[in-house]
Amino acid sequence: MIKKLRAKLILASMFSLALVLLIILGGVNLMSYQNVVSDADSVLTVLASNNGAFPRPQGGLRGEGSAAPGAPEGGKPFLTGPGMSPETPYESRYFWVLLGENGQVIQTQTDQIVAVDEADADAYAATVWASGRTSGFLEDYRYLVSQEADGTRIIFLDCHRSLSSFRITLMASAALSLLGLGAVLVLLLLLSRRIVRPMAESYEKQKRFITDAGHELKTPLTIISADTDLAEMECGENQWLADIRRQAQRLTGLTNDLVYLSRLEEAQPRMQCIEFPISDVVEEMAQSFAAPARNQNQDFALRIQPMLAYTGDEKAIRQLVSILMDNALKYTPSGGWISLQLEKQGRALVLTVSNSTTQALNQESVAHLFDRFYRVDPSRSSHTGGYGLGLSIAKGIASAHKGRIRADSPDGSSLVIQVTLPLNADRRASKRERIG
């Protein structure tokens, strides 16, 4: 259990850190990408509003006597807004294609870029025209479709440098995040043992106490039982001696179950694993409850797939079936029903025990059925016998066989307990040492 707790601590810490890094770095990179798109769209908007050219500043561009091709005479207020500066016309590489109503090329302008010739520009424009979109990315070019009186102008802006910078930042942040996660994982592996050590020591002391107390109680309980038998031989049978014997037997059973449960919860419980016909074993154990069920006027049904074999601790599996059937028998009212089903599903055996109940069940009570000493009845009445350890032992047996056990109440008036025993773990389990 401590190993599982440690593993859960590491997984929870790594998941939390990964989620935080994803949110932070994802947000930063998303804002960076949006900034690239926003700056490109600002430039494209200016170009679209000036017939595919930058407006000429007052007095003309420095070093030039006239505006760029297509710029209106007299110009407009020079470049303002986010991502814009007086250097933007010198830094931007762009081209545009003017198309007619049917998509035919009317004019192509590639004077402001070297990497694209007129043929390439026409091909890019044809691709955008066919897509029907008005803006977006085509390779590393951000484009904008502008409707004009002369036709449709598609302007492309080279964003290679901005996108390359964004990709480098993205890859670097992802690599650093992975390195950080790896470093944290190493630290958790080194420190988590120390973190859970107090709990592990407390848990080990608890198990040791249960085992030692169980062994210490066996002797006085044996003496009490023997003295009760001697007193009965001397004085004859009476109510008080019968009560003493009954309570001594009950306490002995409780002690044995606590010790057995403690052994099942060891880190690597040793099982006496052999291959045995589980169909016959389950049917034999279940049939022993048929007569008590009929005496209580309960409908008893078995559906067992024949010829199934399983490698595990046969004694433990018998106890598992006995616990589930005994639990169903105790809590099924007169006139109710009990059902047991065993079948193979894929690479696992599924044992299902269902029964009607005397008390209404909800999801909260079902979730605690496998807790120690838990009873659905809040008054903790003992008229049904037992002491609330049966299903805890059943869970321990299933876990020791690498299986799972779960409970459900689909309608609130019936209980379904399902045990799944994987077949692929059988061979590994059979190699363990024998238990004494």
Side-chain angles (χ1 to χ4, degrees), residues 28-280:
V28 170
N29 284 284
L30 181 61
M31 287 189 292
S32 176
Y33 178 77
Q34 291 294 335
N35 186 56
V36 171
V37 173
S38 176
D39 290 348
D41 286 344
S42 297
V43 174
L44 288 171
T45 301
V46 171
L47 291 172
S49 63
N50 290 275
N51 300 325
F54 285 103
R56 187 177 65 175
Q58 298 296 333
L61 292 175
R62 185 170 50 188
E64 296 183 7
S66 61
E73 290 297 329
K76 295 183 179 181
F78 200 52
L79 307 174
T80 59
M84 307 292 288
S85 73
E87 302 298 326
T88 299
Y90 302 97
E91 297 172 349
S92 302
R93 294 293 175 262
Y94 64 93
F95 63 95
W96 53 262
V97 178
L98 185 64
L99 302 177
E101 294 183 359
N102 298 322
Q104 74 276 15
V105 177
I106 299 176
Q107 183 181 0
T108 302
Q109 174 62 261
T110 59
D111 293 346
Q112 301 299 320
I113 193 168
V114 176
V116 177
D117 56 21
E118 290 190 3
D120 294 333
D122 294 344
Y124 283 131
T127 302
V128 173
W129 176 270
S131 69
R133 300 180 60 184
T134 59
S135 65
F137 276 102
L138 182 59
E139 297 179 1
D140 285 346
Y141 298 102
R142 181 75 177 176
Y143 64 84
L144 178 67
V145 178
S146 175
Q147 299 294 334
E148 300 178 1
D150 298 336
T152 300
R153 192 186 305 272
I154 305 178
I155 307 173
F156 296 85
L157 179 67
D158 184 6
C159 299
H160 175 76
R161 293 177 61 184
S162 300
L163 291 176
S164 177
S165 177
F166 163 74
R167 293 184 185 116
I168 292 174
T169 303
L170 178 63
M171 297 300 295
S173 61
L176 289 175
S177 299
L178 292 177
L179 289 176
L181 286 172
V184 172
L185 177 60
V186 172
L187 290 174
L188 284 174
L189 291 174
L190 296 175
L191 299 178
S192 60
R193 190 184 303 275
R194 181 174 298 181
I195 294 173
V196 301
R197 183 179 299 167
M199 184 174 297
E201 292 176 352
S202 175
Y203 183 69
E204 290 298 325
K205 290 178 181 178
Q206 178 187 7
K207 290 197 302 182
R208 193 180 307 117
F209 169 77
I210 293 175
T211 303
D212 295 343
H215 288 298
E216 291 296 329
L217 286 172
K218 285 183 178 179
T219 299
L221 288 172
T222 303
I223 294 175
I224 291 173
S225 298
D227 289 348
T228 302
D229 293 338
L230 292 175
E232 193 173 63
M233 293 174 60
E234 292 288 338
C235 306
E237 295 183 3
N238 59 66
Q239 178 183 353
W240 296 276
L241 292 177
D243 288 342
I244 293 173
R245 179 183 292 106
R246 184 167 56 254
Q247 296 304 321
Q249 292 174 349
R250 178 178 173 82
L251 187 55
T252 300
L254 173 61
T255 302
N256 292 335
D257 283 349
L258 281 173
V259 173
Y260 183 71
L261 185 59
S262 180
R263 289 178 179 176
L264 284 176
E265 292 180 346
E266 291 178 0
Q268 291 182 342
R270 295 175 298 172
M271 308 297 294
Q272 188 176 355
C273 295
I274 59 173
E275 187 173 1
F276 62 94
I278 192 172
S279 296
D280 298 339

Side-chain angles (χ1 to χ4, degrees), residues 362-381:
N362 52 49
Q363 293 301 321
E364 181 179 359
S365 61
V366 170
H368 293 284
L369 283 178
F370 300 104
D371 295 347
R372 292 183 182 182
F373 302 106
Y374 180 79
R375 293 181 185 273
V376 177
D377 183 6
S379 65
R380 303 191 63 81
S381 173

Side-chain angles (χ1 to χ4, degrees), residues 63 136 342:
L342 175 67

Side-chain angles (χ1 to χ4, degrees), residues 370 404-408 416-419:
F370 300 104
R404 304 188 309 274
I405 186 170
R406 66 181 185 89
D408 189 22
V416 179
I417 298 180
Q418 188 175 83
V419 181

